[in-house]
Coordinates of all heavy atoms in Angstrom, one line a residue:
L184 N 1.4 28.4 0.0 CA 0.8 29.7 0.3 C -0.3 29.5 1.4 O -1.2 28.8 1.2 CB 0.2 30.4 -0.9 CG -0.4 31.7 -0.7 CD1 0.6 32.8 -0.3 CD2 -1.2 32.2 -1.9
H185 N -0.1 30.2 2.5 CA -0.9 30.0 3.7 C -1.5 31.3 4.2 O -0.8 32.3 4.2 CB -0.1 29.3 4.7 CG -0.9 28.7 5.8 ND1 -1.5 29.4 6.8 CD2 -1.1 27.4 6.1 CE1 -2.1 28.6 7.6 NE2 -1.9 27.3 7.3
P186 N -2.7 31.3 4.6 CA -3.3 32.6 5.2 C -2.9 32.8 6.6 O -2.5 31.9 7.3 CB -4.8 32.3 5.0 CG -5.0 30.9 5.2 CD -3.7 30.2 4.6
H187 N -3.1 34.0 7.1 CA -2.9 34.3 8.5 C -3.8 35.5 8.9 O -4.3 35.6 10.0 CB -1.4 34.7 8.8 CG -1.2 35.3 10.1 ND1 -1.3 34.6 11.3 CD2 -0.9 36.6 10.5 CE1 -1.1 35.4 12.3 NE2 -0.9 36.6 11.9
Y188 N -3.9 36.5 8.0 CA -4.5 37.8 8.4 C -6.0 37.8 8.3 O -6.6 38.7 8.9 CB -3.8 38.9 7.5 CG -2.3 39.0 7.7 CD1 -1.5 38.3 6.8 CD2 -1.8 39.6 8.8 CE1 -0.1 38.3 7.0 CE2 -0.4 39.7 9.0 CZ 0.4 39.0 8.1 OH 1.8 39.0 8.4
G189 N -6.6 36.9 7.6 CA -8.0 36.9 7.5 C -8.6 38.1 6.8 O -7.9 38.7 5.9
L190 N -9.8 38.6 7.2 CA -10.4 39.7 6.6 C -10.4 40.9 7.6 O -10.2 40.6 8.8 CB -11.8 39.4 6.2 CG -12.0 38.4 5.1 CD1 -13.4 38.0 4.9 CD2 -11.4 38.8 3.8
P191 N -10.5 42.1 7.2 CA -10.6 43.2 8.2 C -11.8 42.9 9.2 O -12.8 42.3 8.8 CB -11.0 44.4 7.4 CG -10.5 44.1 6.0 CD -10.7 42.6 5.9
A192 N -11.6 43.2 10.5 CA -12.5 42.9 11.5 C -14.0 43.3 11.2 O -14.9 42.5 11.4 CB -12.1 43.5 12.8
E193 N -14.1 44.4 10.5 CA -15.5 44.9 10.1 C -16.2 43.9 9.3 O -17.4 43.8 9.3 CB -15.5 46.2 9.3 CG -14.7 47.3 9.9 CD -13.2 47.2 9.5 OE1 -12.8 47.5 8.4 OE2 -12.4 46.8 10.4
A194 N -15.5 43.1 8.5 CA -16.1 42.1 7.6 C -16.9 41.0 8.4 O -17.8 40.4 7.9 CB -15.1 41.5 6.7
Y195 N -16.4 40.8 9.6 CA -17.0 39.7 10.4 C -18.3 40.3 11.1 O -19.1 39.5 11.6 CB -16.1 39.1 11.4 CG -14.8 38.6 10.8 CD1 -13.5 39.0 11.2 CD2 -14.9 37.7 9.8 CE1 -12.4 38.5 10.6 CE2 -13.7 37.2 9.2 CZ -12.5 37.6 9.6 OH -11.4 37.1 9.0
G196 N -18.4 41.6 11.2 CA -19.7 42.2 11.7 C -19.7 42.3 13.2 O -18.8 41.7 13.9
P197 N -20.8 42.9 13.7 CA -20.9 43.0 15.2 C -21.1 41.7 15.8 O -21.6 40.7 15.2 CB -22.2 43.9 15.3 CG -22.9 43.8 14.0 CD -21.9 43.5 13.0
R198 N -20.7 41.6 17.1 CA -20.8 40.4 17.9 C -19.9 39.2 17.4 O -20.1 38.1 17.9 CB -22.3 39.9 18.0 CG -23.3 40.8 18.7 CD -24.7 40.4 18.6 NE -25.2 40.3 17.2 CZ -25.5 41.3 16.4 NH1 -25.4 42.5 16.9 NH2 -25.9 41.1 15.2
A199 N -19.0 39.5 16.5 CA -18.1 38.4 16.0 C -17.4 37.8 17.1 O -17.1 36.6 17.1 CB -17.2 39.0 15.0
D200 N -17.0 38.6 18.2 CA -16.2 38.0 19.3 C -17.0 37.0 20.1 O -16.5 36.3 20.9 CB -15.6 39.1 20.1 CG -16.7 39.9 20.8 OD1 -17.8 39.7 20.5 OD2 -16.3 40.8 21.6
E201 N -18.3 36.9 19.8 CA -19.1 35.9 20.6 C -18.9 34.5 19.9 O -19.4 33.5 20.4 CB -20.6 36.2 20.5 CG -20.9 37.4 21.4 CD -22.4 37.9 21.2 OE1 -23.2 37.0 20.8 OE2 -22.7 39.0 21.5
Y202 N -18.3 34.5 18.7 CA -18.3 33.2 18.0 C -16.9 32.6 17.9 O -16.5 31.9 17.0 CB -18.8 33.5 16.5 CG -20.1 34.2 16.5 CD1 -20.3 35.3 15.7 CD2 -21.2 33.8 17.3 CE1 -21.5 36.0 15.7 CE2 -22.4 34.5 17.3 CZ -22.5 35.6 16.5 OH -23.7 36.3 16.5
G203 N -16.1 32.9 18.9 CA -14.8 32.2 19.0 C -13.9 32.5 17.8 O -13.9 33.6 17.3
H204 N -13.3 31.5 17.3 CA -12.4 31.6 16.1 C -13.1 31.3 14.8 O -12.4 31.2 13.8 CB -11.2 30.7 16.3 CG -10.1 31.2 17.2 ND1 -9.9 30.5 18.4 CD2 -9.3 32.2 17.2 CE1 -8.9 31.1 19.1 NE2 -8.5 32.2 18.4
V205 N -14.3 31.0 14.9 CA -15.0 30.3 13.7 C -14.9 31.3 12.5 O -14.5 30.8 11.4 CB -16.4 29.9 14.0 CG1 -17.1 29.4 12.7 CG2 -16.4 28.8 15.0
L206 N -15.3 32.5 12.6 CA -15.4 33.4 11.4 C -14.0 33.6 10.8 O -13.9 33.4 9.6 CB -16.1 34.7 11.8 CG -17.6 34.5 12.0 CD1 -18.2 35.9 12.5 CD2 -18.3 34.1 10.8
P207 N -13.0 34.0 11.6 CA -11.7 34.2 10.9 C -11.1 32.9 10.3 O -10.6 32.9 9.2 CB -10.8 34.7 12.1 CG -11.6 34.8 13.3 CD -13.0 34.4 13.0
L208 N -11.3 31.8 11.0 CA -10.7 30.5 10.5 C -11.5 29.9 9.3 O -10.9 29.5 8.3 CB -10.5 29.5 11.6 CG -9.5 29.8 12.7 CD1 -9.4 28.7 13.7 CD2 -8.1 30.1 12.1
A209 N -12.8 29.9 9.5 CA -13.6 29.2 8.4 C -13.9 30.1 7.2 O -14.0 29.6 6.1 CB -14.9 28.7 9.0
M210 N -14.0 31.4 7.5 CA -14.3 32.3 6.4 C -13.2 33.2 6.0 O -12.9 33.4 4.8 CB -15.5 33.2 6.8 CG -16.7 32.4 7.2 SD -17.4 31.5 5.8 CE -18.0 30.0 6.6
G211 N -12.5 33.8 7.0 CA -11.5 34.7 6.7 C -10.3 34.1 6.0 O -9.8 34.7 5.0
F212 N -9.8 33.0 6.6 CA -8.6 32.4 6.0 C -8.8 32.0 4.5 O -8.0 32.4 3.7 CB -8.3 31.1 6.8 CG -7.2 31.2 7.9 CD1 -7.1 32.4 8.6 CD2 -6.5 30.2 8.3 CE1 -6.2 32.6 9.6 CE2 -5.5 30.3 9.3 CZ -5.4 31.5 10.0

Side-chain angles (χ1 to χ4, degrees):
L184 182 66
H185 196 290
H187 168 71
Y188 298 95
L190 297 172
E193 310 83 76
Y195 303 127
R198 296 174 298 287
D200 62 355
E201 292 175 21
Y202 310 133
H204 283 112
V205 174
L206 291 173
L208 291 181
M210 306 293 143
F212 268 27

